[in-house]
Amino acid sequence: MLIGAMLHNTKLDRYHPIFFRPAPMPGNGDADLAAQRYRSHGHHTDGFESLDEATKYVEEACEKNGWSNSGAMYGWDGEDIPAITAWFGPSAKQHDDPGTPKP
């Protein structure tokens, strides 16, 4: 399952839908943690001028494909290709810390 989020190009002030795929730690070291590791899989290259348009795109893609929308927003300076590693819990909400081991 992919997880949707938003990338804000601060250089151009455009919004790019971005999706994350599961990416377990080497050796599956996160298997017993409450939050799991994900890596950005790709972003909408052209982006959108408004946050509303971009949000609608993420919501429709998630609904159509059975994915989750995290609602997370990531800043991007518009340079290079954005590559993000994030931790998401069972509710697909972002976690800065992978959390405690599962009970």
Side-chain angles (χ1 to χ4, degrees), residues 3-82:
I3 297 177
M6 195 65 62
L7 192 62
H8 180 219
N9 181 334
T10 55
K11 184 176 184 178
L12 300 176
D13 196 27
R14 292 184 68 84
Y15 298 90
H16 302 261
I18 190 167
F19 296 93
F20 289 82
R21 61 173 171 73
M25 291 174 49
N28 207 24
D30 56 347
D32 293 329
L33 299 177
Q36 298 296 298
R37 182 175 178 256
Y38 283 74
R39 301 275 331 250
S40 57
H41 179 66
H43 70 282
H44 188 282
T45 307
D46 295 332
F48 295 91
E49 287 185 19
S50 78
L51 178 57
D52 288 342
E53 288 177 295
T55 299
K56 181 179 176 184
Y57 181 92
V58 171
E59 289 171 350
E60 288 176 354
C62 288
E63 185 176 325
K64 176 182 176 185
N65 295 292
W67 303 336
S68 293
N69 181 3
S70 70
M73 172 82 72
Y74 298 93
W76 172 41
D77 63 6
E79 302 294 324
D80 300 318
I81 297 172

